[in-house]
Amino acid sequence: MAGMFFLYPFEPGDVVTLKKAHPCGGREWNILRVGSDITLVCVKCGRMMILPRRALEKACVQVDTSARQK
């Protein structure tokens, strides 16, 4: 079907691994807020970053949902 697309169901508490490393050397980011923009916190240094959902889906290598709060 034309026009169909898939949005990954990111949720707060997920830990994502990105392709490129942060200047501190960390590649894991914790998701704080989800919407059209997604707020991330570096697991290693604590720096916050806001990315558009589309950019995160392109840069994401792995999603770890086991760290999610229940």
Side-chain angles (χ1 to χ4, degrees):
M1 242 158 103
M4 293 290 293
F5 62 95
F6 174 74
L7 291 176
Y8 188 85
F10 293 113
E11 290 190 26
D14 290 351
V15 176
V16 294
T17 304
L18 302 183
K19 290 179 187 175
K20 293 177 107 179
H22 188 245
C24 73
R27 291 179 55 202
E28 281 91 29
W29 294 80
N30 190 5
I31 297 178
L32 284 184
R33 190 184 69 80
V34 177
S36 61
D37 291 332
I38 298 179
T39 305
L40 305 166
V41 175
C42 181
V43 172
K44 187 171 182 182
C45 70
R47 180 69 128 187
M48 290 182 76
M49 172 173 68
I50 298 174
L51 277 180
R53 177 182 286 273
R54 181 177 173 131
L56 180 62
E57 287 186 358
K58 186 175 180 181
C60 186
V61 174
Q62 178 182 2
V63 179
D64 181 17
T65 59
S66 64
R68 190 183 298 168
Q69 296 283 333
K70 302 241 177 188

